Amino acid sequence: MLQLSGVDAYYGPSQVLHNISLEVSKGEIVCLLGANAAGKTTTMKTIFGLLRPRSGSIMFEGQKIERKLTGNIVGSGLALVPEARRIFPRMTVLENLEMGAYSRRSRAEIKQDLEHVYQIFPRIQERRKQVAGTMSGGEQQMLAMGRALMSRPRMICMDEPSMGLSPLLVETVFETIVRIRDEGMTIFLVEQNASMALSLADRGYVLQTGKIVLSDTADNLLKNDLVRQAYLGGA
Ligand code: ATP
């Protein structure tokens, strides 16, 4: 469904992604693990046209997207839940959700999807009139996920959804990810929280200083020595 082949990306003269190749098939949860500054967010930015790869290709459902504008990429069915849950803090919860559907026309379908988001996140429905920036971190994360769902995507990319959340909330967020997948969504998850990510993913990749150094099933990665030492606290 999503395929990166030989992607190189730079910030000015410094190369941050080196020959990244990875793929996500329909119905999978695939995670990209890596320490601080490994290039996880840069990989996301490159997929969404926020940074142009210098070389390599990015395909979504058989179409090349590496030269497309971000809005067109989202319009083609790929949604992003950005790092640090970049919601619109001064807008209400409902306005944030409506922004997620900005490229869509059918009011009836938008209303239907809003009901669906409320069903997944009852808390968001309770708070729909609240100014989004005043919600707790966990609520904002749910709103960011809900907003992504409002573009009616076929695949969602999430940048560190567990960041800054309490263990209990991390669990809630991850349960929601599994639920969305069970409803038919394909999910690409970028995470520092390796044990949680691998507990729900089908497969994973490990990124170190901009290079993919490992690719395997989640079960095998959980058993892998490098992963255990570097990302699972040697457990
Ligand atoms: P984290 O988990 O800390 O967010 P990450 O794996 O997402 O890390 P990136 O944000 O992709 O890492 O950063 C990869 C490297 O690129 C880092 O060395 C970072 O300093 C550098 N970098 C990121 N954004 C820019 C930028 N706009 N200009 C120059 N260098 C950048």
Side-chain angles (χ1 to χ4, degrees), residues 56-69:
S57 75
I58 306 176
M59 310 271 280
F60 176 61
E61 293 185 325
Q63 308 264 5
K64 275 178 177 281
I65 58 168
E66 73 268 7
R67 301 280 156 217
K68 282 193 179 181
L69 296 172

Side-chain angles (χ1 to χ4, degrees), residues 20 23 30 34 61 76 83 101-102 123 170 185 199 215 223:
I20 300 290
E23 62 184 316
V30 173
E61 293 185 325
S76 72
E83 190 182 25
Y102 77 96
R123 178 66 71 93
V170 171
M185 190 69 67
S199 71
S215 151
K223 291 183 224 143

Side-chain angles (χ1 to χ4, degrees), residues 127-171:
R127 311 237 153 199
R128 64 192 179 280
K129 294 185 183 142
Q130 187 169 333
V131 174
T134 63
M135 294 207 300
S136 74
E139 289 166 346
Q140 290 187 24
Q141 183 62 48
M142 290 173 204
L143 177 57
M145 289 166 72
R147 187 182 56 187
L149 287 172
M150 290 300 293
S151 65
R152 203 176 265 206
R154 288 182 297 286
M155 176 169 171
I156 295 190
C157 296
M158 299 191 190
D159 196 351
E160 299 210 29
S162 75
M163 197 204 282
L165 300 186
S166 69
L168 193 64
L169 273 173
V170 171
E171 212 156 294

Side-chain angles (χ1 to χ4, degrees), residues 88-159:
F88 302 107
R90 291 194 182 81
M91 292 184 179
T92 66
V93 167
L94 178 58
E95 285 163 349
N96 266 274
L97 292 172
E98 286 171 345
M99 286 299 284
Y102 77 96
S103 65
R104 298 175 52 197
R105 291 287 158 262
S106 163
R107 296 301 306 172
E109 278 182 16
I110 292 173
K111 189 157 181 293
Q112 202 182 338
D113 290 349
L114 199 55
E115 291 305 322
H116 181 227
V117 168
Y118 286 160
Q119 196 196 341
I120 299 174
F121 303 108
R123 178 66 71 93
I124 294 297
Q125 179 168 24
E126 284 166 26
R127 311 237 153 199
R128 64 192 179 280
K129 294 185 183 142
Q130 187 169 333
V131 174
T134 63
M135 294 207 300
S136 74
E139 289 166 346
Q140 290 187 24
Q141 183 62 48
M142 290 173 204
L143 177 57
M145 289 166 72
R147 187 182 56 187
L149 287 172
M150 290 300 293
S151 65
R152 203 176 265 206
R154 288 182 297 286
M155 176 169 171
I156 295 190
C157 296
M158 299 191 190
D159 196 351

